[in-house]
């Protein structure tokens, strides 16, 4: 009569290390969850205490005005970002998903800005970066011929990796290792890049770009025609070139907002 022997070996050290790692992760998640839930609870009860309005020497009026100013300063991204991404993200032809990209840009910017405000109490507004948008659309999708679905998946993985680097503190070390001159040059470069986008584009319908910078076969880009009426005037999305007529003006001390129609 045969006998079947079965032996099971446990690597106690490895098992203990895994249990400790999982326990530590759960404790960190639990502590962060309780911290942020308490913060949201206090926010509902007393917003002034959470945002430290009096302690920081500010007022609701000042913060609201600053928020409106920041929004107006960054509003260009609602058009520029979809315009860049529409070259690489489309179904049939470039631009057919422009409206969807506008909505996605607005939602991402709103959620990111709300989170950094509620979780860190920093008055920072976040939006998609112009440089990364151009890298994604022109270099990754158009030049490397990578499917934009796969490219977006890579962006998702990159975001998760960045979150892990931020929570571990490695990201702070990388940022501190970048020279200050390079950081300043990056900001200046982004500013020039946005100005270039704003002044470029074919002024003819249906593009209706600014027309100050146009394409050139010899030099890639060149100065546009200042005699074109579209270049010298504001215009509507319908394509009818005419001056914009203001119908309401809102004044905030040093800030003036004109609401207009064509």
């Amino acid at each position: 009569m045969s006998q079947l022997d079965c032996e099971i070996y446990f690597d106690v050290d490895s098992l203990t290390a895994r249990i400790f790692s999982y326990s530590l992760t759960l404790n960190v998640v639990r502590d962060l969850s309780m911290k942020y839930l308490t913060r949201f609870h206090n926010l509902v009860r007393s917003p002034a205490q959470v945002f430290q309005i009096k302690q920081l020497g500010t007022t609701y009026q000042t913060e609201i005005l600053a928020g409106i100013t920041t929004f107006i300063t960054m509003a260009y991204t609602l058009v520029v970002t979809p315009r860049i991404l529409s070259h690489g993200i489309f179904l049939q032809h470039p631009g057919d998903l422009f409206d969807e990209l506008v909505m996605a840009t607005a939602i991402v910017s709103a959620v990111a800005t709300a989170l950094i405000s509620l979780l860190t109490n920093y008055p920072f507004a976040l939006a998609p970066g112009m440089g990364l948008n151009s890298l994604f659309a022109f270099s990754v999708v158009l030049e490397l011929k990578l499917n934009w679905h796969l490219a977006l998946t890579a962006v998702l993985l990159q975001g998760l990796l960045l979150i892990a680097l931020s929570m571990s503190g490695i990201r702070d070390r990388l940022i501190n290792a970048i020279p200050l001159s390079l950081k300043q040059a990056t900001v200046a470069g982004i500013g020039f890049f946005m100005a270039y986008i704003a002044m470029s584009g074919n002024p003819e319908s249906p593009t209706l770009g600014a027309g100050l910078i146009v394409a050139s076969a010899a030099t890639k880009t060149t100065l546009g025609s200042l005699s074109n009426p579209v270049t010298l005037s504001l215009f509507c999305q319908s394509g009818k070139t005419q001056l914009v007529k203001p119908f309401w003006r809102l004044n905030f001390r040093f800030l003036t907002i004109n609401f207009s129609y064509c």
Side-chain angles (χ1 to χ4, degrees):
M1 186 173 185
S2 61
Q3 181 180 0
L4 178 64
D5 294 331
C6 179
E7 296 181 354
I8 302 177
Y9 296 93
F10 287 100
D11 187 347
V12 179
D13 294 336
S14 178
L15 182 61
T16 304
R18 289 178 178 271
I19 295 176
F20 177 76
S21 177
Y22 294 150
S23 176
L24 181 62
T25 302
L26 291 176
N27 289 335
V28 171
V29 172
R30 183 194 62 186
D31 294 341
L32 289 176
S33 301
M34 291 300 299
K35 174 184 176 181
Y36 293 135
L37 287 175
T38 303
R39 183 175 178 84
F40 281 123
H41 178 70
N42 295 334
L43 176 64
V44 175
R45 297 183 57 185
S46 179
Q49 181 179 359
V50 173
F51 292 116
Q52 302 178 3
I53 299 296
K54 294 183 179 180
Q55 293 88 329
L56 297 176
T58 183
T59 62
Y60 283 111
Q61 181 182 1
T62 301
E63 295 302 314
I64 292 175
L65 178 60
I68 295 175
T69 305
T70 303
F71 172 78
I72 295 175
T73 304
M74 296 180 56
Y76 72 90
T77 191
L78 293 175
V79 178
V80 177
T81 294
R83 181 180 176 185
I84 295 176
L85 292 179
S86 60
H87 291 281
I89 301 178
F90 57 87
L91 297 178
Q92 303 296 333
H93 56 84
D96 59 2
L97 292 179
F98 182 82
D99 294 341
E100 288 77 4
L101 290 173
V102 171
M103 183 61 66
T105 302
I107 293 176
V108 168
S109 302
V111 172
T113 302
L115 287 177
I116 197 172
S117 171
L118 297 175
L119 300 181
T120 67
N121 199 26
Y122 280 112
F124 296 157
L126 300 181
M130 296 295 102
L132 293 179
N133 290 335
S134 300
L135 175 66
F136 176 89
F138 299 113
S139 299
V140 176
V141 177
L142 296 182
E143 184 176 348
L144 298 179
K145 306 298 182 182
L146 189 66
N147 186 279
W148 64 267
H149 299 88
L150 181 60
L152 284 180
T153 303
V155 172
L156 174 62
L157 296 178
Q158 175 261 338
L160 296 177
L161 178 60
L162 184 59
I163 292 176
L165 292 177
S166 300
M167 296 183 64
S168 63
I170 299 178
R171 178 177 175 272
D172 293 336
R173 297 181 182 179
L174 294 176
I175 293 178
N176 293 332
I178 299 176
L180 179 60
S181 58
L182 184 57
K183 296 178 182 178
Q184 295 173 342
T186 302
V187 175
I190 293 176
F192 280 116
F193 179 65
M194 291 188 297
Y196 178 88
I197 295 176
M199 293 186 293
S200 63
N202 186 0
E204 303 298 332
S205 180
T207 305
L208 291 179
L212 294 176
I213 301 176
V214 295
S216 171
T219 60
K220 298 298 183 181
T221 58
T222 186
L223 182 65
S225 175
L226 297 180
S227 61
N228 193 308
V230 177
T231 306
L232 300 177
S233 63
L234 300 176
F235 48 85
C236 300
Q237 293 182 352
S238 60
K240 297 180 180 179
T241 303
Q242 57 184 356
L243 294 178
V244 175
K245 303 175 183 179
F247 70 93
W248 189 40
R249 175 171 295 177
L250 192 60
N251 294 311
F252 293 98
R253 296 182 182 175
F254 56 86
L255 177 66
T256 301
I257 305 174
N258 289 323
F259 295 87
S260 310
Y261 69 95
C262 292

